[in-house]
């Protein structure tokens, strides 16, 4: 696709027209990209994914959009037999239990809220 | 967040790990999709289509007859753009687009939808009371102009072709494209007049 040179500041400037970020947080972009990649690879059909997104949005209209998107992606994978219902929870619990990374600040000083280090 | 709910960021990371281990996705491919829709694909594509239609009557006729082919001829293709229908704003009819069930949207020409388009209030209300919703969004449609609401489906994606503003006769295609915002191509705004 030969996209034209982008006008990054003008009225039609993608991707943040009207000052809006496409993804509010990195995980939203990841969840988006996973579903698109899975559909493009034929792991599930886009229609199959969309049906589950519609169901998730209808079940909880107040829920954050990309939370529904992520759940729909899991639902669609379970439906085609590529994921067990508890797989993600189990793996996520394992990730949560991992020793904190090098950038994590172990601060056991619980009465020091708000002070500047 | 409770102990049994790791939160969406951790769930997403866990899901991606599992899918990569099982050979179902390539992280580089995911990276590519995220980057494309974060940075490269946006309303400027649609604005380019609109500007061309305003300047080239033959293209405009083709666009209204076979939106998918005319849009693809400018290089704008990809997921969610497989079946494009273009709706022309006229003095008699004002078109506005919604996806009542989720958020179907023509990615190749507009990028990903803004948050208001995904909002349950817009999805429900624009069908029931389009004139009121458009007025709340800053667009007063003249009372004599009929409003038609188009609900995107699993099959069809819509692009609105706004009316060309007055005083734009001498403008280049790039200048014309600059007058066409995303909201005008969904039908919740007009193209802006040159300043």
């Amino acid at each position: 696709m030969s996209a034209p040179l982008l006008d990054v500041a003008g009225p039609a400037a993608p991707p943040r027209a009207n000052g809006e970020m496409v993804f509010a947080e990195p995980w939203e972009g990841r969840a988006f990209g996973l579903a698109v990649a899975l559909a493009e690879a034929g792991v599930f059909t886009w229609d199959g994914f969309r049906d589950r997104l519609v169901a998730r949005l209808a079940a909880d209209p107040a829920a954050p959009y990309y939370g529904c998107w992520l759940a729909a992606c899991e639902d669609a994978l379970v439906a085609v037999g590529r994921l067990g219902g508890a797989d993600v929870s189990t793996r996520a619990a394992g990730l949560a239990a991992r020793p904190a990374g090098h950038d994590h600040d172990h601060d056991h000083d619980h009465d020091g809220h708000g002070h500047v280090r | 967040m409770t102990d049994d709910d790791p939160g969406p960021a951790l769930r997403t990371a866990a899901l991606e790990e599992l899918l990569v281990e099982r050979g179902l996705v390539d992280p580089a491919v995911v990276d590519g999709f995220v980057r494309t829709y974060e940075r490269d694909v946006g309303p400027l594509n649609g604005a380019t289509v609109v500007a061309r239609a305003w300047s080239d009557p033959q293209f405009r006729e083709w666009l209204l007859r076979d939106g998918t082919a005319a849009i693809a001829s400018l290089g704008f293709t990809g997921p969610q753009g497989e079946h494009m229908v273009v709706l022309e704003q006229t003095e008699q009819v004002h078109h506005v687009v919604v996806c009542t069930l989720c958020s179907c949207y023509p990615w190749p020409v507009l990028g990903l939808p803004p948050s208001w388009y995904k909002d349950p209030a817009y999805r429900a209300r624009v069908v029931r009371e389009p004139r009121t919703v458009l007025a709340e969004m800053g667009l007063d449609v003249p009372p004599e102009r009929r409003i038609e609401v188009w609900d995107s489906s699993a099959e069809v994606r819509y692009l609105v072709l706004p009316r060309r503003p007055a005083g734009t006769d001498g403008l280049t295609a790039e200048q014309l494209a600059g007058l066409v915002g995303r909201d005008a191509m969904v039908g919740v705004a007009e193209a802006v007049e040159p300043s």
Side-chain angles (χ1 to χ4, degrees):
Chain A
M1 190 167 106
S2 57
L5 281 177
L6 295 182
D7 168 15
V8 293
R16 298 178 190 176
N18 305 347
E20 186 162 25
M21 298 275 292
V22 174
F23 303 116
E25 297 178 53
W27 72 265
E28 294 185 353
R30 251 14 237 177
F32 166 81
L34 284 172
V36 177
L38 288 163
E40 291 288 297
V43 176
F44 51 55
T45 64
W46 190 259
D47 283 354
F49 169 74
R50 178 184 180 269
D51 289 347
R52 284 165 182 84
L53 177 60
V54 168
R56 285 282 181 171
L57 291 167
D60 187 0
Y65 177 81
Y66 277 109
C68 293
W69 182 285
L70 176 64
C73 188
E74 291 181 43
D75 293 345
L77 285 162
V78 171
V80 296
R82 297 295 198 155
L83 194 69
D87 288 3
V88 175
S89 295
T90 304
R91 176 61 60 97
L95 291 181
R98 276 183 198 173
H102 60 274
D103 58 344
H104 192 88
D105 186 6
H106 286 277
D107 180 14
H108 299 292
D109 176 18
H110 292 297
D111 53 6
H113 294 299
H115 72 273
V116 179
R117 271 191 278 267
Chain B
M1 199 154 61
T2 60
D3 285 345
D4 57 354
D5 176 16
L10 210 50
R11 281 195 84 83
T12 305
L15 177 61
E16 181 163 0
E17 259 189 21
L18 290 165
L19 294 171
V20 172
E21 282 168 18
R22 295 171 190 186
L24 296 174
V25 294
D26 174 349
V29 171
V30 179
D31 289 344
F33 281 123
V34 178
R35 210 170 35 243
T36 295
Y37 291 100
E38 250 182 349
R39 297 209 305 235
D40 302 335
V41 178
L44 187 56
N45 292 357
T48 303
V49 173
V50 170
R52 176 74 183 272
W54 284 347
S55 345
D56 179 346
Q58 271 187 309
F59 181 81
R60 177 174 153 277
E61 193 269 330
W62 185 23
L63 184 69
L64 296 171
R65 186 166 36 87
D66 185 352
T68 313
I71 289 167
S73 78
L74 299 183
F76 306 133
T77 58
Q80 311 291 301
E82 293 88 353
H83 187 183
M84 291 291 313
V85 170
V86 177
L87 309 165
E88 185 180 33
Q89 305 290 45
T90 67
E91 293 302 320
Q92 292 75 38
V93 185
H94 179 91
H95 302 287
V96 59
V97 179
V98 65
C99 175
T100 53
L101 292 177
C102 53
S103 50
C104 295
Y105 195 71
W107 296 353
V109 282
L110 295 185
L112 298 184
S115 50
W116 57 259
Y117 186 86
K118 299 178 288 195
D119 189 291
Y122 175 79
R123 286 163 31 212
R125 288 186 59 224
V126 77
V127 178
R128 286 202 312 266
E129 42 180 353
R131 207 169 291 269
T132 305
V133 170
L134 291 173
E136 287 171 9
M137 295 177 86
L139 179 66
D140 289 313
V141 179
E144 67 277 8
R145 192 174 294 160
R146 195 171 80 250
I147 298 179
E148 285 193 5
V149 182
W150 297 78
D151 190 3
S152 309
S153 67
E155 303 303 321
V156 182
R157 301 288 181 278
Y158 299 103
L159 177 72
V160 171
L161 174 59
R163 291 173 309 132
R164 180 170 177 165
T168 55
D169 285 356
L171 298 189
T172 65
E174 286 76 17
Q175 289 170 319
L176 287 173
L179 308 176
V180 187
R182 176 198 62 206
D183 293 5
M185 294 182 280
V186 181
V188 300
E190 302 267 19
V192 297
E193 303 203 354
S195 45

